[in-house]
Amino acid sequence: MFPSDTTVDVRDQRVAVLPVGSTEQHGPHLPLATDSVIAWTIASEIAAQHPVRLLPPIQFSCSQEHADWPGTVSITARTLISVVTDIADSLRRTGVTGLVLVNGHGGNYVLSNIVQESQGLALFPGRDDWAFAREKAGIETSAYSDMHAGELETSILLHAHPDLIRPGYETADHLAENRRHMLTLGLAPYTSSGVIGRPSLASARKGELLLAGLAESFGHYLGLFDLGTA
């Protein structure tokens, strides 16, 4: 999960995409790196279709709600904010006027505040972008129910990285519609497997259409930045 560009390749690029994932449990059938892989896969699809610079992913973020499962590694929101803002500042010094944070982990909602407080930053995919992609792909589980290691995430990996999926996703469905106190209690009271969603409905075709929908939505983001010379 590293771009192969040289300094010559990126010298004229004014917008960069930064995949932000996580390292956390995704049930017994998806890897700990799932969110990082998905963020990288979305960002790579964007870079293949739009004139942006693809950055290596951030693979540790805010996963404290998954701390009850082995393999989860978290950093604080303060640390994530510092890392992202330092990267944005460094890019500006080299002429990059826009940075899009491609977020693959719902627990990274702190990224919204970074964008709100800064200039030249955007967060992708937004709620409308996901809704468009979900409809395009025919995702059957609602956005609320399909929270973790479910239909959407499993579909993207089935399409882009089928070698990373373990057997058993076809029978791993678990729904937890009442998660009122998840921020306080974490995820463990609501699922023993770590899954909340219906991975049994996943397919590679849905994953392909999800990525296509997200790449299409990204076109609206390029107009947010001043693409003149630095």
Side-chain angles (χ1 to χ4, degrees):
M1 292 196 295
F2 296 99
S4 59
D5 301 310
T6 70
T7 185
V8 175
D9 298 324
V10 303
R11 60 187 172 187
D12 295 324
Q13 293 174 332
R14 297 290 175 256
V15 175
V17 290
L18 174 63
V20 184
S22 70
T23 299
E24 64 184 43
Q25 71 83 20
H26 272 78
H29 68 281
L30 295 183
L32 297 167
T34 291
D35 289 342
S36 298
V37 172
I38 287 176
W40 169 259
T41 301
I42 295 170
S44 298
E45 189 75 13
I46 289 169
Q49 299 188 37
H50 300 280
V52 297
R53 175 179 170 185
L54 177 61
L55 298 171
I58 294 175
Q59 296 183 257
F60 298 105
S61 60
C62 304
S63 300
Q64 286 81 1
E65 68 272 24
H66 299 279
D68 289 302
W69 283 271
T72 298
V73 180
S74 293
I75 60 177
T76 66
R78 295 185 301 277
T79 299
L80 181 60
I81 289 171
S82 294
V83 169
V84 170
T85 53
D86 282 356
I87 290 171
D89 290 343
S90 178
L91 287 168
R92 288 189 194 101
R93 289 195 292 272
T94 64
V96 176
T97 57
L99 176 63
V100 182
L101 311 177
V102 179
N103 181 35
H105 171 48
N108 289 339
Y109 44 82
V110 65
L111 294 175
S112 299
N113 300 115
I114 301 174
V115 172
Q116 182 186 36
E117 296 170 0
S118 304
Q119 291 187 341
L121 265 67
L123 181 60
F124 183 85
R127 184 183 306 170
D128 291 340
D129 305 309
W130 276 122
F132 174 76
R134 291 173 66 90
E135 182 177 359
K136 185 180 183 74
I139 297 294
E140 300 173 59
T141 317
S142 72
Y144 180 81
S145 299
D146 192 31
M147 178 201 166
H148 197 66
E151 182 181 2
L152 184 147
E153 291 186 315
T154 305
S155 290
I156 291 177
L157 264 67
L158 278 172
H159 166 63
H161 305 280
D163 55 309
L164 296 181
I165 298 182
R166 302 286 180 91
Y169 72 89
E170 304 90 343
T171 57
D173 292 5
H174 173 76
L175 296 179
E177 301 297 89
N178 181 5
R179 307 190 297 271
R180 177 179 296 183
H181 301 295
M182 191 185 73
L183 284 181
T184 300
L185 302 176
L187 200 64
Y190 305 104
T191 172
S192 59
S193 68
V195 176
I196 294 182
R198 295 189 291 176
S200 68
L201 298 177
S203 72
R205 177 59 175 164
K206 290 178 180 177
E208 179 183 8
L209 292 173
L210 279 163
L211 291 175
L214 291 173
E216 181 178 344
S217 285
F218 185 83
H220 300 288
Y221 284 72
L222 287 177
L224 300 177
F225 306 111
D226 176 10
L227 299 182
T229 58

